[in-house]
């Protein structure tokens, strides 16, 4: 059994401690994973600051929903061959029996919201014990540091599957954060005729082009309006309207960003007259996770250039500060238990 290590515990908004962590042996249907790395995103900052909606967090809490690791032990009923495998894992703890779960739409589970790192213990700890059915094994030679970013990649994979971009179509991405950079890579993989990235500054232009963008524009510039597919990842108050304006009549829009309440909504007249097809994504169902892992394993997804900081668990408050600083030089911040 894995020896004791450390874990982050957020007692309440603004109050945390780093304490000794004792692994919880896996019960029936569970697996014990030694955590290699855990990513921090804006929702972890919300947990620490206390502005995540009350139904979507439960204190005290060990955060961490973006992670990678290696299976150390499995419980009864779990294939023994899973032990020793490199893995990532889904966060949503779906019931598996409602009609949405049976349809594969586990992020719409009608039993209510439960998620690793928000209402259940997360991966900012030496180990994580969770249902083995949530795990996705990785290739044996997978880079676990890169794989720690597969949770946001899976959310973008869900968007890419809904966008249904075809080879030769004109596609665009609004937003240049982690999700935006993954969206560029997923869209590039389908061989588009044109791939535009729209941002608020030039800090990510070089990386966008490295990942396959053929054009880069600022949001306040004159933008074209004849794209087949647009994936929005910015989550700013006006991002949805910016994204919709890029589309041709009958184009397909997928929204993944979550703006603050009161953001500029899409104009229903515009949607109807232009016959736009609009989808949204919140989290990633199993098929999107499988797609992300498959694309990553095929070498079509390169998360490592997005990582700018790797810190120990004891630097949790500094990591949270980095994520919220708005510094264009700060990309993905990882904690290493």
């Amino acid at each position: 059994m894995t020896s004791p290590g450390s874990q982050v515990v957020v007692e309440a908004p603004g109050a945390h401690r780093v304490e000794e962590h004792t692994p919880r042996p896996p019960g029936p249907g569970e697996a014990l994973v030694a955590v290699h790395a855990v990513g921090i995103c804006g929702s972890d900052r919300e947990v620490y600051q206390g502005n995540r909606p009350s139904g979507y967090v439960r204190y005290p809490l060990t955060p961490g929903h973006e992670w990678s690791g290696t299976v150390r032990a499995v419980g009864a009923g779990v294939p023994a061959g899973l032990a020793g495998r490199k893995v990532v894992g889904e966060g949503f703890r779906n019931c598996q029996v409602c009609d949405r779960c049976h349809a594969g739409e586990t992020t719409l589970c009608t039993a209510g919201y439960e998620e690793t790192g928000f209402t259940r213990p997360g991966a900012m700890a030496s180990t994580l014990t969770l249902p083995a059915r949530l795990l996705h094994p990785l290739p044996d030679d997978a880079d676990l540091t890169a794989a720690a970013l597969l949770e946001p990649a899976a959310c973008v994979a869900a968007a890419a599957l809904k966008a249904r971009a075809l080879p030769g179509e004109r596609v665009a991405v609004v937003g240049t954060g982690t999700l935006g950079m993954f969206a560029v890579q997923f869209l590039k993989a389908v061989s588009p005729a044109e791939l535009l990235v729209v941002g608020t500054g030039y800090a990510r232009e070089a990386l966008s082009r490295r990942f396959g963008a053929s054009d880069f524009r600022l949001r306040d510039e004159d933008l074209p309006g004849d794209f087949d597919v647009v994936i929005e990842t910015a989550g700013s108050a006006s991002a949805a309207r910016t994204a919709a304006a890029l589309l041709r009549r009958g184009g397909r829009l997928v929204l993944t960003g979550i703006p603050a309440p009161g953001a500029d909504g899409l104009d229903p007249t515009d949607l109807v007259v232009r016959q736009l097809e609009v989808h949204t994504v919140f989290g990633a169902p199993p098929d999107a996770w499988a797609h992300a892992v498959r694309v990553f394993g095929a070498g079509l997804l390169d998360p490592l250039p997005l990582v700018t900081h790797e810190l120990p668990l004891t630097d949790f408050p500094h990591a949270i500060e980095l994520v919220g600083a708005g510094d264009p030089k700060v990309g993905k911040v990882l904690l290493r238990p």
Side-chain angles (χ1 to χ4, degrees):
M1 191 61 66
T2 304
S3 59
S6 300
Q7 66 182 9
V8 172
V9 177
V10 178
E11 283 284 354
H16 87 284
R17 65 181 188 274
V18 178
E19 63 180 18
E20 184 176 283
H21 167 79
T22 301
R24 180 173 71 79
E30 292 185 324
L32 171 69
V33 178
V35 177
H36 172 82
V38 54
I40 297 181
C41 82
S43 55
D44 297 305
R45 184 174 166 84
E46 289 176 354
V47 167
Y48 187 57
Q49 292 183 325
N51 48 19
R52 186 170 173 83
S54 60
Y56 293 85
V57 64
R58 192 178 302 138
Y59 301 98
L61 173 71
T62 293
H65 62 287
E66 306 178 1
W67 57 270
S68 63
T70 303
V71 177
R72 293 300 184 214
V74 297
V78 178
L82 196 59
R85 292 296 303 273
K86 295 177 179 180
V87 293
V88 290
E90 299 176 34
F92 281 82
R93 304 294 188 93
N94 53 297
C95 75
Q96 301 186 85
V97 294
C98 71
D99 65 334
R100 291 303 86 204
C101 283
H102 281 304
E105 298 175 338
T106 54
T107 59
L108 297 176
C109 177
T110 59
Y113 171 80
E114 295 281 350
E115 187 176 2
T116 300
F118 297 109
T119 63
R120 302 289 185 92
M124 290 186 193
S126 302
T127 71
L128 176 64
T129 303
L130 73 167
R133 63 182 173 81
L134 299 176
L135 298 178
H136 289 261
L138 301 170
D140 291 339
D141 61 352
D143 183 325
L144 282 177
T145 301
L149 276 68
L150 284 178
E151 191 275 343
C155 295
V156 177
L161 291 172
K162 289 186 175 184
R164 308 187 316 280
L166 299 172
E169 287 194 312
R170 303 179 71 242
V171 302
V173 175
V174 175
T176 58
T178 299
L179 296 182
M181 293 299 94
F182 278 132
V184 173
Q185 295 183 66
F186 275 106
L187 290 175
K188 176 61 177 177
V190 300
S191 301
E194 183 176 344
L195 174 45
L196 167 70
V197 176
V198 178
T200 56
Y202 288 110
R204 283 280 175 93
E205 179 179 8
L207 194 56
S208 298
R209 292 186 182 277
R210 173 176 170 181
F211 286 148
S214 58
D215 193 8
F216 187 96
R217 307 277 185 96
L218 297 185
R219 193 176 62 195
D220 55 5
E221 293 179 350
D222 285 335
L223 299 173
D226 52 357
F227 285 84
D228 300 289
V229 169
V230 179
I231 296 179
E232 179 276 323
T233 67
S236 64
S238 60
R241 287 202 173 202
T242 297
L246 288 166
L247 286 166
R248 63 165 172 81
R249 295 183 67 205
R252 306 187 294 284
L253 171 63
V254 186
L255 304 175
T256 71
I258 305 176
D264 293 336
L266 296 174
D267 180 354
T269 302
D270 183 55
L271 297 182
V272 173
V273 172
R274 295 174 62 211
Q275 299 182 60
L276 300 183
E277 184 179 323
V278 181
H279 294 274
T280 61
V281 168
F282 177 68
D287 65 334
W289 271 95
H291 184 50
V293 169
R294 187 165 53 244
V295 172
F296 174 66
L300 298 173
L301 207 59
D302 184 12
L304 272 182
L306 300 173
V307 178
T308 58
H309 295 75
E310 295 183 57
L311 305 170
L313 284 183
T314 49
D315 281 351
F316 170 73
H318 178 48
I320 291 290
E321 189 179 305
L322 283 170
V323 169
D327 184 345
K329 295 186 179 68
V330 176
K332 199 66 186 178
V333 178
L334 300 182
L335 293 178
R336 295 290 299 271

